[in-house]
Amino acid sequence: MNTFFRTCAAPLVALFVWLPAAFAQAPQPPEIAARSFMLVDVTANQVLGARDIDTPVEPASLTKLMTQYIVFDALRAKKIDLKQALPVSVRAWKMEGSRMFIDPAMKVPVDDLIKGMIVQSGNDATIALAEGVGGTVERFVELMNQQAKALGMKNTTYKNPEGLTVAGHTTTARDLSILSNRIMQDFPEYLSYYSIKKYRYEGTPTSNDTNRNLLLFRDPTVDGLKTGHTDAAGYCLIATAKRDVPNVGQRRLLAIVLGATSENARANEAQKLLNWGYTAYDSVKLFDANQAIVTPQVWKGALKTAKLGRTQPVVVAVPAGAGPKVKTQVARADPLLAPLAAGQQVGTLKITVADQPLVDLPLFVLEPVEQAGWLSRSWDTVRLWIK
């Protein structure tokens, strides 16, 4: 089965930007009772706080995030359909751990299997989807590992689609943040699954209908993503929230808590991280999407200037109250010669906070600049020579 593997986009290669240690007033994250944790400002592409993010851990049912990524990709590629009913194998029916409680007498629509996998964390639903997309569980696991490599998850190895403990089945908080961000970035049309509070398939136990992400019931700004638990992994949670911020719009944070001591503890620690991120850091929008940040002169072009900017808004997270200390500077080659293609990188936007470097962002040509006619090019050649 040929599958298209989505690769790590350029903005995400340099995703987790850290506020420099030299920045004296950078807030310190709260004490988090977990083996490792990470808080990412998704809107600003910055890490606000973290501990032991490259330490290998067992992901438990957080494994299902990769299963979901591949299923969503198969849906978009029209290899499967939400209304398509998939058979339930004996292997799926006999799965241990969290279950949706489906059996081989059923054929279950993909839409319901996704809900069972996300809301109920059903291992049986996960296996049914893996077999439906990959043909076999073993082939699906190969797809998982290939996709992890394509996304830049350098310290992740999958042994199964559901997350039960197997030697060598490990990941890291950093890799989980990459995967979570890419799910939200690549498949916005499917994010509503993660905020479903209650679901059960007809004929299955009513006592098994509640999402294990307690923050969905406690914090109205939380809309995902996934819980996980095994004896080896402890209690894990990846929680994401979006809150309205003046002059910015919706600001999304992502909290990862791995290896907490209980279901309630993982929720409490994730909530603590989210609240700290929203209060300790301000979100500052510097430029709108597709806004011309600079319009430098172009030589030998049909237009005299070029519009340089980014297709996404330029937003940064800074310590609360430090917004007025944010400065920007553009570095680029000079002279700028036509032709220039839309999307071509031309220069860098350097952002500082209190004179400390925060992040360098590439600038791109927003509108193409064609080459001028022979006479204009010749005249610009003379001008450049004189210059």
Side-chain angles (χ1 to χ4, degrees):
M1 177 180 178
N2 294 322
T3 299
F4 169 71
F5 293 103
R6 295 175 180 272
T7 55
C8 199
L12 289 173
V13 171
L15 175 60
F16 308 123
V17 178
W18 291 84
L19 201 66
F23 193 61
Q25 63 255 51
Q28 295 301 304
E31 288 294 325
I32 299 298
R35 293 173 191 166
S36 61
F37 73 88
M38 190 172 187
L39 181 66
V40 178
D41 188 316
V42 177
T43 304
N45 284 352
Q46 290 173 234
V47 173
L48 305 184
R51 187 182 72 228
D52 295 335
I53 62 173
D54 293 315
T55 299
V57 296
E58 291 198 27
S61 282
L62 300 183
T63 300
K64 295 182 176 76
L65 288 171
M66 179 57 80
T67 302
Q68 291 149 22
Y69 190 100
I70 294 175
V71 168
F72 294 157
D73 195 37
L75 284 167
R76 182 174 288 175
K78 300 189 184 303
K79 294 175 181 176
I80 56 173
D81 182 84
L82 285 175
K83 296 180 180 179
Q84 178 182 349
L86 297 180
V88 180
S89 67
V90 172
R91 181 174 183 172
W93 173 50
K94 290 186 175 181
M95 285 301 296
E96 301 175 0
S98 301
R99 297 172 60 196
M100 181 183 175
F101 292 100
I102 51 178
D103 62 56
M106 302 175 178
K107 281 195 171 182
V108 185
V110 169
D111 179 59
D112 289 286
L113 289 172
I114 293 173
K115 292 173 182 174
M117 174 172 54
I118 292 175
V119 180
Q120 298 168 312
S121 201
N123 293 338
D124 47 1
T126 304
I127 294 300
L129 284 166
E131 292 173 334
V133 173
T136 66
V137 171
E138 290 71 24
R139 174 55 183 154
F140 190 84
V141 173
E142 291 178 8
L143 299 179
M144 294 172 72
N145 285 305
Q146 291 171 25
Q147 186 63 72
K149 183 177 180 180
L151 293 180
M153 299 168 64
K154 297 179 180 179
N155 296 299
T156 294
T157 301
Y158 293 110
K159 299 292 186 178
N160 58 54
E162 79 288 334
L164 291 176
T165 299
V166 177
H169 185 87
T170 58
T171 188
T172 65
R174 186 191 299 272
D175 282 0
L176 287 169
S177 66
I178 292 172
L179 176 58
S180 300
N181 273 276
R182 288 304 296 266
I183 287 175
M184 293 186 288
Q185 173 182 296
D186 295 345
F187 302 108
E189 66 270 35
Y190 299 122
L191 294 186
S192 59
Y193 281 114
Y194 294 101
S195 60
I196 297 173
K197 295 179 179 179
K198 289 183 176 291
Y199 166 79
R200 72 176 182 91
Y201 191 58
E202 185 176 356
T204 62
T206 56
S207 58
N208 190 47
D209 69 349
T210 303
N211 196 312
R212 292 161 174 79
N213 183 356
L214 298 181
L215 293 190
L216 291 174
F217 302 89
R218 298 178 182 179
D219 184 341
T221 70
V222 170
D223 59 358
L225 277 168
K226 191 71 187 74
T227 63
H229 169 253
T230 62
D231 289 342
Y235 289 83
C236 307
L237 173 60
I238 298 178
T240 183
K242 56 181 180 180
R243 300 182 186 179
D244 290 329
V245 177
N247 303 316
V248 173
Q250 289 187 330
R251 179 189 181 195
R252 181 175 290 280
L253 299 187
L254 179 79
I256 299 174
V257 173
L258 305 177
T261 57
S262 69
E263 184 176 21
N264 199 50
R266 71 185 175 192
N268 290 342
E269 300 306 288
Q271 184 76 77
K272 188 190 302 182
L273 277 173
L274 291 172
N275 289 343
W276 173 78
Y278 280 114
T279 56
Y281 283 86
D282 290 339
S283 190
V284 180
K285 183 163 74 171
L286 302 175
F287 302 98
D288 290 321
N290 297 308
Q291 177 182 349
I293 295 173
V294 288
T295 54
Q297 181 180 5
V298 177
W299 298 83
K300 302 184 180 182
L303 300 175
K304 296 303 180 185
T305 60
K307 296 180 179 179
L308 306 185
R310 293 176 61 82
T311 56
Q312 298 294 324
V314 178
V315 179
V316 294
V318 298
K325 299 177 182 178
V326 177
K327 297 180 182 178
T328 61
Q329 182 179 8
V330 174
R332 62 174 180 82
D334 189 44
L336 195 57
L337 303 177
L340 298 172
Q344 178 180 339
Q345 182 178 341
V346 178
T348 302
L349 179 68
K350 296 179 175 292
I351 304 173
T352 61
V353 183
D355 297 324
Q356 296 293 328
L358 177 62
V359 62
D360 291 350
L361 299 175
L363 292 178
F364 303 97
V365 177
L366 297 177
E367 297 175 3
V369 180
E370 303 295 336
Q371 202 171 51
W374 177 83
L375 186 60
S376 293
R377 297 201 312 272
S378 299
W379 175 237
D380 276 358
T381 299
V382 173
R383 294 172 64 204
L384 283 169
W385 182 78
I386 296 172
K387 181 182 178 182

